[in-house]
Amino acid sequence: MRHTLIMAVFVLWACKIAADTPASAITAAMAATAQKLMQQASLTNTGYEVVESLTTEVGPRLAGTGAEARARQWAVAKLTDLGFHNVRVEPFMVPLWLRGIERAEIVTPFPQPLTITALGGSASTGPDGVEAEVVSFESLAALEDAPEGSLQGKIVFVDEAMSRSRDGSGYRVAVAKRRKTAFTAQRLGAGAALIRSVGTSSHRFAHTGQMRRIDYKGEAGVPIAALTVPDADQLRRTLSRGVPVTVRLVITPQLLPPSESGNVIAEIPGAAVPDEIVLVGAHLDSWDLGTGAIDDGAGVGIVIGAAKLLLDVLPQAPRRTIRIVLFGSEEVGLVGAQAYAEQHAGELHNHVIATESDFGAGVIWRFDTGVADDKVPFAEAIGELLLPLDIEPGSNTATGGPDMKYLREAGVPVVGLKQNGWDYFDLHHTPDDTLDKIAPDILNQNIAAYAAFLYLAAETEADFR
Amino acid sequence: MRHTLIMAVFVLWACKIAADTPASAITAAMAATAQKLMQQASLTNTGYEVVESLTTEVGPRLAGTGAEARARQWAVAKLTDLGFHNVRVEPFMVPLWLRGIERAEIVTPFPQPLTITALGGSASTGPDGVEAEVVSFESLAALEDAPEGSLQGKIVFVDEAMSRSRDGSGYRVAVAKRRKTAFTAQRLGAGAALIRSVGTSSHRFAHTGQMRRIDYKGEAGVPIAALTVPDADQLRRTLSRGVPVTVRLVITPQLLPPSESGNVIAEIPGAAVPDEIVLVGAHLDSWDLGTGAIDDGAGVGIVIGAAKLLLDVLPQAPRRTIRIVLFGSEEVGLVGAQAYAEQHAGELHNHVIATESDFGAGVIWRFDTGVADDKVPFAEAIGELLLPLDIEPGSNTATGGPDMKYLREAGVPVVGLKQNGWDYFDLHHTPDDTLDKIAPDILNQNIAAYAAFLYLAAETEADFR
């Protein structure tokens, strides 16, 4: 019944689009093929198998490590096995930051351990740690307002909570404290810093994440770690007793000389205009705490699953080339994205459109565009074909995803297939980012949407610039 | 509206009980007082404040440690402040087991870390750890059937899952593998053992818990640790590839000479027959990973909150003495419970009835009794007064709680105010056992039930033997 209704809606939309847009843009035959791809998506298991394989056979794969190198080998083998063309690694260098010992405890008045994790890029306390009185601030803004010299030798605690939302907008607000606290605390004379995790989980997982781009050349900032939400609550309650609270923090990360990273590329060469590129990305690296299942194994599974569906279902390749890019070193500051933009500067004008899957494994609920104003109706017409997947039209403000930053800045049009991120920040950047958190049927809804979009963008003669 | 209905039901029950039971057992006035206590419970915050204080000001409190000693000091001060009488510590000795380094990783074929925790009482691998091929068994029973000598030097993995249920019955089945695997593995020649956590959480928390009573004098068993559920899934998937899997396990716990522990006791002395004792227990110690909020800070809060309600609401103490016992060293094998039974052997015949709150912070849904057959109708009549709290009648098979074991064996009647344990084993014995998991209103439902029960059992002239 529901299926019939969806089909009826689809046919109506297909007719409307055929009437509204130039015949050369999206033909009825193309719309029907897109529909077929969306239907076939629910029958496939490739996307889930890919993320199962990546998390099981590689696991955590921090930028610049041997594990990330194994992930590239895995990706080359997997993409080759699946029948993609021009599979290759495009290497670049990235500084190597490695986590060390991580330990914290309330020393007085109520001794007990605290669960923490160092922020990516943090300085080390040395093995003896930093033991000092804690000074709490309700927000980064409050810390920034602290009088100069008022925090000499202290441990700063920024106790700012993150709000939960479907679009993840709370993250953009909360992440500022992760990026800036160590540097502000250093300016004010503090010895170390703690933040309430940038995350929404009430479980006892600390949330890591990069402070500034790993190749940032300025001050190192004070050693800084994130407390889990229950531990931040605990420290807040302890401070509420109105007596001085002393904490000992020991974190011993190391920043090592640059090491090799790389982007992995694979293609479905275009049948008519192979120089014109529809780019779809995800990132291959992950934080070291979990197994990088939702961030961004899911994205890797989605884009490979979608492209594989095209290989399997289409009688021949679309007109334009579909290029999968699995970016390296995303987590430490979009280092792979910048390398790609530099290495491909000469052909970015041929990048017809680009997008990335990097927001977990939730259902796609909205289709945003980031195209030339006069191409919005055409881009929206593609989006309307996704309506049977319960994807609503969005706005022309898409970023395309983190790794699209440099392409977007170079004028490449983008779209955003926006996922529901309600529980994304319960898992993201924590030890709890593991395969069991991914629902295969929802992954397939994503694959259906990406497959239809990639096919239409690669088959159409129209442009988005 | 709902309140009115509950009141009407209550009045009907009160009338029925007044008609069914001897006037001396439960008078209409007593039933009305019980009703008043239940109503007042929702207005109090004592129970939650107690567990907030215990988890914040003491935190984890492993048997025999300085933290458990601080918990006793905390309890003495708290119980004295709240106006209880005869507040005292009854010390005993307990061997001291301390957790050390905990680290595990898959070495081949797919190197990645595993999240584990040592089981309580486990032997040490030494700092160099044990590295060996993993042999997986789907259950403890399958391990027990393995041929002698077939596991020489191997790491055993017992991959048996626990089922979730309201009454926690899955735990009693699953915990057998925690108790026995290390010893069976030793008999079969293995070098170490891993088990899938005895727990229901899909989050990445390993579940500790005692193997055998800490003063067990037999073989030590092989070093043994629990994998989190996602890590057990990961190891299972790795093994499914059909190639040998090697794991390195490093755990360095220590078993040290006996250290002081103790039970903390407080009373509301009986106004008429102070030698007759209604005992209500919870345990003060906790595992070291979390802060012992639901296990058993909640129980401590519930029993203190309920007894405090009696102090505040009743114009005078009930006829019999109400004795709160906060047991020490429960987690390592009911050591405090045995000490209490030995130290009070001479007065156990005066223990009219006993019960314990030690199953988390869920709502009470059932009232079980463990009384003489001919006293069941009377005990059930008390239970029926709890119907307004949505507590249904149970059976006469109550255990009274873990720490009631030795009292029950000595002939002391018991009751069980059974909590909903649906999510108890998501948190129990893990780092995630923290205060934020407790809902104050549900704690107050527990307090209402305990307050009514304690009052009626202490005020009645009837007996349960």
Side-chain angles (χ1 to χ4, degrees), chain A residues 49 52-60 70 106 109-113 115 202-205 230-231 233-234 237-238 240-241 288-291 427 430-437, chain B residues 49 52-60 70 106 109-113 115 202-205 230-231 233-234 237-238 240-241 288-291 427 430-437:
Chain A
E49 284 170 0
E52 191 272 353
S53 173
L54 176 58
T55 55
T56 305
E57 296 167 22
V58 181
R70 286 198 303 277
I106 298 175
F110 309 131
Q112 60 172 294
T115 302
S202 65
H203 296 293
R204 208 168 179 196
F205 296 115
D231 287 86
D233 290 345
Q234 178 85 303
R237 286 196 304 272
T238 304
S240 76
R241 267 40 178 187
D288 51 344
L289 301 176
T291 63
L427 305 170
T430 76
D432 206 26
D433 179 4
T434 53
L435 179 67
D436 52 295
K437 311 308 185 299
Chain B
E49 284 169 1
E52 192 272 354
S53 173
L54 175 59
T55 55
T56 305
E57 297 168 21
V58 181
R70 287 199 302 278
I106 297 174
F110 309 132
Q112 61 172 293
T115 302
S202 65
H203 296 294
R204 208 167 179 197
F205 297 115
D231 287 86
D233 290 346
Q234 179 84 304
R237 285 195 304 273
T238 305
S240 76
R241 267 43 178 184
D288 51 344
L289 301 177
T291 64
L427 306 168
T430 76
D432 206 26
D433 179 5
T434 53
L435 180 67
D436 52 294
K437 311 307 185 302

Side-chain angles (χ1 to χ4, degrees), chain B residues 340-419:
Chain B
Y340 179 89
E342 289 170 1
Q343 291 165 358
H344 294 266
E347 59 167 355
L348 294 188
H349 64 282
N350 283 341
H351 282 52
V352 174
I353 198 156
T355 190
E356 180 177 35
S357 174
D358 180 23
F359 199 60
V363 75
I364 297 173
W365 62 284
R366 195 167 125 140
F367 180 76
D368 287 324
T369 60
V371 301
D373 287 346
D374 61 339
K375 299 300 169 63
V376 169
F378 165 56
E380 285 180 345
I382 291 182
E384 284 166 355
L385 286 170
L386 306 179
L387 202 67
L389 299 173
D390 207 13
I391 297 172
E392 65 186 54
S395 66
N396 196 37
T397 57
T399 66
D403 287 309
M404 299 300 103
K405 171 179 159 68
Y406 299 100
L407 300 183
R408 201 173 60 243
E409 289 174 2
V412 177
V414 296
V415 297
L417 291 153
K418 196 172 271 182
Q419 292 169 291

Side-chain angles (χ1 to χ4, degrees), chain A residues 305-360:
Chain A
K308 172 64 175 165
L309 194 60
L310 269 56
L311 282 184
D312 290 347
V313 171
L314 301 181
Q316 65 172 50
R319 296 179 59 258
R320 292 165 170 157
T321 291
I322 293 172
R323 178 178 290 174
I324 298 171
V325 184
L326 304 181
F327 293 95
S329 301
E330 187 271 352
E331 294 291 5
V332 298
L334 312 179
V335 181
Q338 187 177 26
Y340 179 89
E342 288 170 2
Q343 290 166 358
H344 294 265
E347 59 167 353
L348 293 188
H349 64 281
N350 282 341
H351 282 52
V352 175
I353 197 155
T355 190
E356 180 177 36
S357 175
D358 181 22
F359 199 58

